[in-house]
Amino acid sequence: MFSTVLIANRGEIACRAIRTLKRLGVKSVAVYSDADRNAQHVKQADVAIALGGDKASDSYLRIDKILAAAQQSGAEAIWPGYGFLSESLPFAEACEQAGIAFVGPTAQQIGEFGLKHRARELAARAGVPMTPGTPLLDSLEAALQAADEIGYPVMLKSTAGGGGIGLTRCADATALASAWESVRRLGEQFFSDAGVFLERCIDRARHVEVQIFGDGRGTVVALGERDCSLQRRNQKVVEETPAPGLSAATRDALLASAVRLGELVSYRSAGTVEYIYDVTQQAFYFLEVNTRLQVEHPVTECVTGLDLVECMLKVAAGDEIDWPRLQQPPQGAAIEVRLYAEDPLKNFQPSPGLLTAVSFPAGVRVDSGIETGSEVSSFYDPMVAKLIVHADSREAALAKMQQALDATQLHGIATNLDYLRQIVATEAFRSGAVWTRYLDSFTPSAPVIEVLQPGTFSSVQDYPGRLGYWDIGVPPSGPMDDFAFRLANRIVGNDESAAGLEFTLQGPTLRFHCDAIIALTGADCAATLEGEPVSNWQPLTIKAGQTLALGRAQQGCRSYLAVRNGFDVPEYLAAAAPSHWASLAAMPDGRCASRIC
């Protein structure tokens, strides 16, 4: 085994690799950008080396800087994780030339499988079922002719694409002509390769993939399959193993085809053979090969008991692998969800910022690079954590995941946590009847109170507030008019201590994305619901989509708003008060939560 390994990545996957290296007694070297100088992987590694710059193009994608860090630290190997340079042919070649082990497939395998048209050629040689398609196309005219022969709809794909980039469904010749130049341009822009080809499009297809592992000398095993059909914008959201609804014969054929493809090229290290699965025909077709560890590898680890990072390190170091253990059948079922710093209310735009409270439940696996006080950067992918559960059956795993999501708390920025809770609870997911475009038509309820105008010095308060900290210089805090605050809670049926909102002089404008019962108390201020005046000091029913506008206080200074069941905000120094806010949300079980910015 190596004595020192450099991790050419960041975030949760870097932290995950550091844990394995510590267990193996291997010295870990982290690299980091300026934006990541306080990141968890930097704190956890034995050695941390600055790359400089904030953007990935100035740091994690700089081959020269990473190799210099490896030489500086004396690293014998580089583990690339996923993303960034993990499937970079020039990087793998540069590592070989520098005499540093690349913990992954060979450079030749990365190069061949990285080009989708070449990957299709290899898959065809291995006898892997293929969707009707074309080799590389050199003109729109050739594409249109081929599409007529294949039959619409077709998928126009960039040969070097990935992550859904350079992938367009074309329903007819007009759509194909319109997409031709844009897909070629995306391929050139993101992958420096404008090559494109066509495949028949299978609507309502599932995405099923097989985890393979090889020693580079011809021995290849399949470690089960994963269903990754729940995707948004071609990015996976939920993954699980085993794939629900596969017959034993289909599963055996699927795994065998992946092994044949790996054996054909004497595949080395971890890789994933991806397939399209046609539910109606119970048939699978080759999609592509990812020559790296996948984001969803933890579900495979859960059902096999393996540490795939350790396996990769052993193969790269030339150590012996326990092949009989790798060939044992998977046990039980595992599910993974990806937590993103994204705002579903704003078309899932990234929501970087400070995480003021982070809490994950015990008894589940959490792969994360965050904690309370972590800063989510705007420079990188917004995934902040993965929750993974394992149980004896899929039904038990589903129940465990629902409980884990309900117990998870992420405060300070907008996240997709509620979105995941609702997806996992759908009948379609619970029955295994989802496909790759299912989320396109999934409209989650939005248990959110959106702040359109914040008002003056608006804050979250609770009663009695923060007391008992004068001795360390923290004065008492809480609602200024605690009688009016408590009355607001009583009007909506809350305990008097439930968190509510306080406004100073000028009230906010709020859009409700969920039904709610509220009460307004305190200083008299004009309030309108959808432009119609409403009264204070009594229950007020608000429907999803309605907007409440609070005006300027006519008498007094501070006004209050309570919502039935209160706001679920993290406590700091034994109180929720005061917390300045920009948007508020409600939990799916009826409890209200707030996203504090």
Side-chain angles (χ1 to χ4, degrees), residues 351-375:
S351 57
L354 182 69
L355 285 160
T356 55
V358 175
S359 177
F360 295 112
V364 301
R365 174 172 169 175
V366 179
D367 282 11
S368 171
I370 59 167
E371 62 180 357
T372 297
S374 292
E375 185 81 26

Side-chain angles (χ1 to χ4, degrees), residues 242-497:
L246 291 190
S247 67
T250 298
R251 177 172 287 110
D252 290 344
L254 184 76
L255 302 183
S257 72
V259 170
R260 289 198 306 272
L261 180 53
E263 290 175 339
L264 178 68
V265 298
S266 296
Y267 193 82
R268 186 184 78 182
S269 198
T272 304
V273 185
E274 303 198 349
Y275 298 87
I276 293 171
Y277 179 63
D278 187 338
V279 178
T280 59
Q281 300 295 322
Q282 295 188 20
F284 59 89
Y285 305 100
F286 176 77
L287 182 61
E288 63 181 355
V289 175
N290 283 307
T291 53
R292 55 176 168 80
L293 202 63
Q294 295 278 86
V295 178
E296 57 272 19
H297 77 274
V299 295
T300 296
E301 292 185 330
C302 285
V303 297
T304 60
L306 297 169
D307 183 330
L308 290 175
V309 175
E310 178 182 348
C311 294
M312 294 175 72
L313 289 166
K314 284 185 175 180
V315 164
D319 295 349
E320 286 297 318
I321 295 289
D322 187 354
W323 288 107
R325 186 181 177 197
L326 265 71
Q327 292 169 334
Q328 292 177 357
Q331 300 295 317
I335 304 173
E336 172 185 291
V337 298
R338 304 186 187 190
L339 286 161
Y340 283 93
E342 295 178 332
D343 190 348
L345 276 184
K346 299 180 179 177
N347 199 27
F348 293 90
Q349 74 178 28
S351 57
L354 182 69
L355 285 160
T356 55
V358 175
S359 177
F360 295 112
V364 301
R365 174 172 169 175
V366 179
D367 282 11
S368 171
I370 59 167
E371 62 180 357
T372 297
S374 292
E375 185 81 26
V376 178
S377 172
S378 61
F379 293 103
Y380 313 112
D381 183 276
M383 188 175 72
V384 295
K386 300 180 301 193
L387 262 63
I388 307 101
V389 299
H390 179 223
D392 291 337
S393 66
R394 185 173 189 266
E395 292 72 22
L398 282 168
K400 196 172 182 180
M401 177 57 76
Q402 193 76 61
Q403 294 167 1
L405 286 169
D406 288 346
T408 298
Q409 294 189 28
L410 297 172
H411 293 282
I413 59 175
T415 70
N416 71 333
L417 178 58
D418 280 331
Y419 181 69
L420 292 172
R421 288 169 174 154
Q422 294 172 56
I423 290 172
V424 171
T426 61
E427 178 57 32
F429 178 66
R430 302 187 77 83
S431 64
V434 296
W435 62 98
T436 55
R437 304 300 297 272
Y438 170 74
L439 292 180
D440 291 356
S441 57
F442 174 68
T443 305
S445 60
V448 169
I449 303 173
E450 181 184 1
V451 178
L452 302 180
Q453 295 291 335
T456 304
F457 203 76
S458 301
S459 61
V460 177
Q461 300 285 349
D462 62 1
Y463 177 80
R466 185 172 296 111
L467 305 174
Y469 292 93
W470 255 127
D471 57 328
I472 59 171
V474 179
S477 61
M480 182 66 69
D481 183 350
D482 61 75
F483 184 69
F485 180 86
R486 286 180 286 158
L487 282 178
N489 269 324
R490 177 166 294 188
I491 290 170
V492 296
N494 291 345
D495 184 88
E496 65 178 11
S497 64

Side-chain angles (χ1 to χ4, degrees), residues 446-450 491-492 494 501 510-520 529 538-548 561-567 584-587 590-593:
V448 169
I449 303 173
E450 181 184 1
I491 290 170
V492 296
N494 291 345
L501 306 181
L510 308 173
R511 177 182 294 133
F512 286 71
H513 290 261
C514 56
D515 294 346
I517 296 176
I518 72 164
L520 300 169
L529 182 64
Q538 63 184 33
L540 175 62
T541 299
I542 298 181
K543 297 296 183 182
Q546 292 186 318
T547 298
L548 176 71
L561 184 153
V563 63
R564 178 168 290 180
N565 299 314
F567 292 97
L584 309 166
M587 304 287 277
R591 294 178 297 118
C592 286

